[in-house]
Amino acid sequence: MAAAETGLTARFSLIDEISDKLQSISRYGEDAMESLEDAGEAAGEAFDGMSSSSATAAQSVDGVATSCDGAASSTDSLTSAQDELARAADATGDAMRDLAKDTEEAEREVKDAGEAFDEAGQSATDAIGGIADMLAAAGITATVKEIAGAVYELADAFSEAESVIVDATGATGAALDDLEESMMSAYEGNYNSLDEVASAIGEINTRMGLTGEELSETTDLFLDFANVTGGTASDSVRTITQLMNQWGVSESEMAGLMDKLTYAGQASGISVSELTSELTSNKAVLDQLGFSLDEATAMFANFEKNGTSATTVMTGFRTALSSGAISSLEDLYDVFDEIAAGELSAADAADIFGSRAGTTIVNAVNNGTLALDDMLDALDSASGTIDTTAEASKTLSDQGTESTNKLKAAFT
C-alpha cells in the first residue's frame, strides 16, 4: 500500500511539472508575438520614412529642373540653379540617412522577433521534450498526437457540458459564463465527469436559483452525497429539493438534512433514495399524526433495520386516522404504551389498525422498532457524515482522477 501511495504521489508531482512547462510554452509564445508586433511597427515607420524621403527628393529634383530652365534665359539664374541643386542634394542625403536609420531599426526588430520565435520554438521543443522524458520516466507513454487528442476530447466535453447547462437553465451570455465558471470550480475539486457536474449545476440553479460560489459549494455537496449514497447528483438534487419543499426545510438546513439521511442509511441499511421516497409519499399521514422530519426518518430507518414493512405500518396508521381511533401522535404513543404493557391485545390492535397492520404494529412495538429515541440521538450527532465518508471512501483511482480534473480545469 505504501508503495502504491508513493507512486501516486510521484504521478501527482508529475502533473504539476507538466502544468509548469506548458505554461512556459505559452509565455514564450506571447513574448515572440510582442516582438513581432514591435517589428511590424518599426517596418511601418521605415516605409513612412521612405515615402517622405521620396517625396522630398522629388521636390528637390523639380526645383533643380525649374532652375535649369531658368538658366537658359539668365546667367544669374544658373547660379540660383546651382544653389538649389546643392540644397536638394543635402535634403536628399538627410532623407536617405533617415531612411537607412528606419530600415536598420526595422531590421533589428525583425531580427529580435525571429530570435524570440526561435527561443519560443526551442523552449517549446525543450518543454515538450521534458514532458515526454518525465512521462517516460513515470512509465507513461504519450505522443503529441495523443496529447492533442486529449485536448480535443476536453474541448468536446466542455462543449457538451455547456449544452447540458443551457438545456437545463436556458442561460446565455454573461449568465451562462457565470454558470460555467461555477461548473469548472466544482469540477476541479471532484473526481466526477464534467457531464455529471454540469447536470448538477443545471438542476441546482433551476431548482434553488443559486449562482457563483454558493452554487459551486452546493454542487460539491451534492456530488459527495451522490458518491456516498449512490445514484447521480442531478437525481439527488431533485429528490432532496422535493423533500425540502414538502417538509419546509430551508437552504441553511439542507446540509444537516443530507447528513442525517446519509447516517440513517448507514445505520439501518435503507437506501437514501428509498428513505426520501417514503418521507415524501407518506407526508400527508405523517403530518396528520404530527411526526417531525427527524422522527419520521428515525422510524423508517428502524423499519428497515428490523425487517418491518413500512407500507403495512403506514396503511395501519391511515386506517386508524380514518376511523377516528387516533387523531394525534400522542394518541398513537398511548396505544403503543398499552400494547407494550400488555393492556391491548393483537385483536384490539387489529380493530384500530386493520387485521394485517395490527399484527405488524404489535410486533414492532414489542421488538423495539417503534422506540425511536436511540435513532433520534444518533441523528442529532450526524453532522459531517457526508464529508467524512466521502474522504474516507475515496480510492487511489478517485484521487488520481481528481488531480487530472484539476489539471484539465487549468487549461479550459
Side-chain angles (χ1 to χ4, degrees):
M1 179 67 178
E5 290 180 350
T6 300
L8 184 63
T9 300
R11 295 293 178 89
F12 293 166
S13 176
L14 170 64
I15 288 174
D16 290 336
E17 291 183 45
I18 291 173
S19 176
D20 291 341
K21 285 187 174 294
L22 290 176
Q23 289 175 3
S24 72
I25 294 173
S26 174
R27 184 171 62 254
Y28 278 115
E30 291 175 358
D31 293 343
M33 289 305 298
E34 288 179 2
S35 295
L36 184 59
E37 290 176 359
D38 290 342
E41 291 177 1
E45 292 175 358
F47 281 118
D48 288 342
M50 186 183 296
S51 297
S52 175
S53 299
S54 297
T56 301
Q59 291 173 357
S60 298
V61 172
D62 287 344
V64 172
T66 301
S67 298
C68 288
D69 288 341
S73 58
S74 172
T75 56
D76 291 337
S77 296
L78 179 58
T79 301
S80 176
Q82 291 172 338
D83 292 340
E84 186 68 24
L85 181 60
R87 283 194 296 273
D90 290 340
T92 301
D94 290 341
M96 292 304 295
R97 281 190 293 275
D98 289 342
L99 177 59
K101 181 179 179 181
D102 289 341
T103 301
E104 181 181 356
E105 179 66 22
E107 289 174 348
R108 184 164 54 253
E109 294 293 351
V110 171
K111 180 180 179 183
D112 289 344
E115 291 175 352
F117 271 106
D118 288 341
E119 184 179 2
Q122 185 59 48
S123 298
T125 300
D126 292 344
I128 292 173
I131 291 171
D133 291 342
M134 287 188 293
L135 292 173
I140 302 170
T141 54
T143 65
V144 174
K145 181 178 180 180
E146 289 170 341
I147 294 172
V151 171
Y152 175 81
E153 289 176 4
L154 177 59
D156 188 53
F158 183 85
S159 178
E160 291 180 1
E162 181 183 59
S163 179
V164 169
I165 293 177
V166 172
D167 289 343
T169 66
T172 59
L176 178 58
D177 291 341
D178 289 342
L179 293 179
E180 289 173 349
E181 184 175 348
S182 296
M183 175 184 71
M184 297 310 299
S185 177
Y187 176 66
E188 69 179 0
N190 291 278
Y191 57 84
N192 300 80
S193 70
L194 192 56
D195 185 63
E196 289 178 293
V197 177
S199 295
I201 287 282
E203 286 293 334
I204 295 169
N205 176 258
T206 298
R207 293 176 180 274
M208 303 179 68
L210 302 182
T211 57
E213 184 177 353
E214 190 174 11
L215 175 57
S216 298
E217 291 175 351
T218 302
T219 302
D220 284 336
L221 173 62
F222 273 103
L223 289 170
D224 284 345
F225 178 75
N227 291 335
V228 168
T229 63
T232 66
S234 55
D235 286 341
S236 297
V237 173
R238 285 190 286 272
T239 57
I240 294 299
T241 54
Q242 288 170 358
L243 182 65
M244 290 171 61
N245 291 335
Q246 284 204 15
W247 285 88
V249 178
S250 67
E251 289 180 11
S252 63
E253 299 171 308
M254 180 177 66
L257 167 62
M258 294 166 70
D259 277 332
K260 290 178 179 179
L261 294 173
T262 303
Y263 180 85
Q266 294 172 344
S268 67
I270 189 172
S271 71
V272 173
S273 61
E274 181 182 351
L275 178 56
T276 55
S277 177
E278 294 285 8
L279 292 168
T280 302
S281 61
N282 292 297
K283 177 62 164 59
V285 176
L286 296 168
D287 262 353
Q288 282 182 271
L289 289 170
F291 276 94
S292 69
L293 180 55
D294 281 358
E295 289 170 332
T297 300
M299 181 173 65
F300 285 118
N302 277 357
F303 287 163
E304 177 68 25
K305 185 176 182 179
N306 293 297
T308 300
S309 170
T311 301
T312 301
V313 173
M314 295 310 296
T315 299
F317 288 173
R318 288 189 183 90
T319 299
L321 285 168
S322 297
S323 67
I326 59 174
S327 60
S328 66
L329 193 59
E330 184 178 358
D331 291 344
L332 182 63
Y333 281 134
D334 285 342
V335 172
F336 291 168
D337 289 341
E338 291 176 8
I339 292 174
E343 299 172 0
L344 203 64
S345 67
D348 294 330
D351 289 338
I352 298 172
F353 301 108
S355 58
R356 183 179 179 185
T359 301
T360 300
I361 290 173
V362 167
N363 291 335
V365 170
N366 290 331
N367 65 22
T369 298
L370 288 167
L372 308 180
D373 289 346
D374 288 346
M375 185 62 75
L376 284 171
D377 288 343
L379 293 179
D380 284 340
S381 303
S383 178
T385 298
I386 295 174
D387 285 343
T388 301
T389 307
E391 190 62 32
S393 63
K394 198 177 293 182
T395 66
L396 291 176
S397 176
D398 294 335
Q399 294 176 47
T401 302
E402 187 173 306
S403 295
T404 300
N405 286 358
K406 185 174 182 179
L407 180 62
K408 287 179 178 179
F411 288 95
T412 302

